[in-house]
Every structure is written in structure tokens, then in C-alpha cells.
Amino acid sequence: MFPIVAKEQLSAEVYSMWIHAPLIAEERKAGQFIILQIDDQFGERIPLTIADADPVKGNVRIIFQSVGASTKKLARMNVGDALPVFLGPLGRPTAIEKKGTVVCVGGGIGVAPMHPIAQALKAAGNKVIVIMGARNKDLLIMEKEMRAIADELIICTDDGSYGRKCLVTEPLKEVCEREPVAECFTIGPPIMMKFCALTTKPFNVPTVASLNSIMIDGTGMCGGCRVLVGGKIRFVCVDGPEFDAHQVDFDNLMQRNRSFVPREREENCNLLKMADATK
């Protein structure tokens, strides 16, 4: 069992948890993820990128959005509760090198998995520019943590309630115009990552996207997390989660993600019915 040792609500639907998992805390690298289950027999397998780790205490930090039935159940768990399944670290680590100026673009909940990447890039001696985006100020997360890492932090909100009123692609383009950028990393909604890739391509800036897609077994056998990269099928769980953003077929990725929406709505309705029945 893997006990929850700390819990914090970061925004309306976003939660942070520290899970005691010493081996994962010791072995994890930037960009890797875990798969957890709330119920080891019938529970859905939830993939979450590791947001941070403390190898001394043996704890791993996960940050997740309560949107589906399983993540809503996870959000109801508290300190002292334990997860029966917590597997990892999985996936290929981020390739970290000293290259010069690197830009990290995180949108919404994507800021969480971007955090360890920005940490590692800074530790390697790079100039790290972080661009964070959210719909409004209340939905921004991990600003304090990112300020502690970044040489420059740019915050964007859709409604202008905090930082600049613009999309993340606007300051990304400005940075590419003003100085040589060795590499760009982007994590967030697929539509955001698509346009980040389109923004950097004219400047010939290598761009890496961390894809968040449906995973089941985490070994590449089920095919649930397949994506098209450079016209070839790849599996996020074993070939990724990071890919050349200029080669990813984001339209196909978004279409596949939408195919699970009806089932997600059905499970959410069942969860509400169960909650009503217990009142």
C-alpha cells in the first residue's frame, strides 16, 4: 500500500498529493510518470506525470484535475488513506542537456509535469524561460515553485485577470524573435501544444511535447495510448511520453481523446447517482 502523506487543493478542481513511495522517489527522472489505481481489482488505471519527488523522505508528488469519475474519487481521499497500486517510474525520461536558452510552456494542469523538467534544465546550467497559461488567475498553479526556478517567468491568462491577457503563443513568438532558443518544451491541452509547435517551427526551434493520452496497461500492449508521430504509430506509455512536437499529429490525438467523452459522462452520472443514494 502507498499512503497519502499530504494533500492540498490548488484550485477549484486541482489537487496536489504526496504519496509515500520510496523506490519511485529515488529512481524517478524528469518527464516520467506513474500509474495508480484506487481499487486494485476494478479501478481505472490513471496515468499521472510525477510533479516532484523527495528521495530523502521517500515521497512522490502528483497533481491532478478532478474531471472524471476516477479522479473525483481520488480527490475524496485524504491523508492517512492509501493507494493499493502506484506503479513507476514509467516512460522515457526527458533528455536533459546544457544547450543555452530553453523555453518551457505549460498550460493549465500541464504546469505540474513541466515543473521537474524546468528543474532539471536549470540544474544542467541552462537559461530557463517559463511561460504559464490559464483561463484565469484562480486556475494558475505552482507559480511560487516556477519563480524559484525560472530566469524569466511570463504568466498569461485568457481573461487578463493576472499577468498578460493573451495566449501562451504570443510571448513564445516574442522570445523566439528576440534571442536564439535552443529548445522548447510544451505540456498542456493538445490544441495549445499544436500551436506552440506551429509557433516555433518557422524559427527552427526543436520542440518537445509531452502527450497526455489514455493509457491502460502502461506497457504498450493495449494500444490505448497510440499516437501518430511522423506518420508512424507510437505508444505514449513506452515510446514517450515526449515526442517531437513538429511531427505529432495533434488533430488525430484530439479526435481520439474526444471518443472517450461519452463514456466519461456516463461514469460521472453513475458517480452522482451513488452520491445521492448515500445521502
Side-chain angles (χ1 to χ4, degrees):
M1 300 293 279
F2 302 88
I4 299 168
V5 296
K7 177 185 177 183
E8 180 184 3
Q9 186 166 356
L10 302 181
S11 68
E13 295 180 338
V14 177
Y15 296 82
S16 166
M17 285 182 176
W18 285 91
I19 313 298
H20 189 62
L23 295 179
I24 298 176
E26 184 178 351
E27 294 295 330
R28 69 95 199 190
K29 293 180 175 63
Q32 291 186 298
F33 65 95
I34 55 89
I35 287 181
L36 65 81
Q37 283 180 259
I38 302 168
D39 183 324
D40 61 349
Q41 293 185 340
F42 305 107
E44 179 185 9
R45 294 165 70 91
I46 307 172
L48 294 169
T49 307
I50 298 169
D52 205 350
D54 184 340
V56 176
K57 294 182 179 179
N59 298 331
V60 172
R61 189 183 190 188
I62 56 172
I63 295 178
F64 63 95
Q65 190 170 12
S66 173
V67 288
S70 294
T71 48
K72 286 181 178 178
K73 291 176 183 177
L74 179 61
R76 292 177 181 175
M77 299 181 75
N78 293 302
V79 173
D81 294 335
L83 297 168
V85 176
F86 198 77
L87 304 174
L90 301 170
R92 296 176 181 271
T94 305
I96 302 294
E97 297 178 29
K98 183 177 180 180
K99 294 187 174 183
T101 297
V102 293
V103 182
C104 298
V105 186
I109 193 72
V111 173
M114 185 61 77
H115 176 249
I117 295 173
Q119 269 185 327
L121 289 167
K122 183 63 179 177
N126 294 286
K127 175 184 177 181
V128 178
I129 299 172
V130 175
I131 303 173
M132 294 169 49
R135 293 197 305 273
N136 56 60
K137 181 180 179 179
D138 293 337
L139 297 177
L140 282 167
I141 63 171
M142 302 189 78
E143 178 185 353
K144 181 180 178 181
E145 290 91 335
M146 284 302 201
R147 283 198 184 278
I149 298 168
D151 294 280
E152 180 181 357
L153 178 66
I154 303 169
I155 295 177
C156 311
T157 51
D158 294 352
D159 64 358
S161 55
Y162 193 58
R164 294 174 55 173
K165 184 179 181 180
C166 64
L167 300 176
V168 293
T169 49
E170 185 175 314
L172 175 59
K173 182 173 184 284
E174 293 169 357
V175 171
C176 290
E177 289 174 334
R178 83 182 188 204
E179 64 183 284
V181 175
E183 196 166 17
C184 174
F185 296 82
T186 177
I187 309 178
I191 189 67
M192 185 208 82
M193 293 189 289
K194 173 184 176 178
F195 281 96
C196 282
L198 291 173
T199 299
T200 59
K201 193 168 186 178
F203 299 95
N204 295 315
V205 175
T207 303
V208 177
S210 183
L211 305 186
N212 208 359
S213 59
I214 301 301
M215 297 185 201
I216 299 175
D217 68 351
T219 66
M221 296 188 67
C222 71
C225 64
R226 66 186 181 275
V227 293
L228 286 173
V229 183
K232 298 180 180 180
I233 293 176
R234 294 289 183 263
F235 300 99
V236 175
C237 64
V238 292
D239 298 320
E242 297 179 347
F243 298 93
D244 181 344
H246 296 148
Q247 296 293 317
V248 174
D249 187 337
F250 286 105
D251 292 333
N252 176 266
L253 174 63
M254 289 185 280
Q255 182 181 12
R256 291 197 66 252
N257 282 348
R258 286 194 295 269
S259 68
F260 297 96
V261 171
R263 182 58 188 269
E264 187 176 90
R265 287 174 179 166
E266 180 183 343
E267 289 300 319
N268 275 328
C269 287
N270 292 337
L271 187 62
L272 288 172
K273 289 177 183 177
M274 291 175 60
D276 290 338
T278 57
K279 288 182 180 178

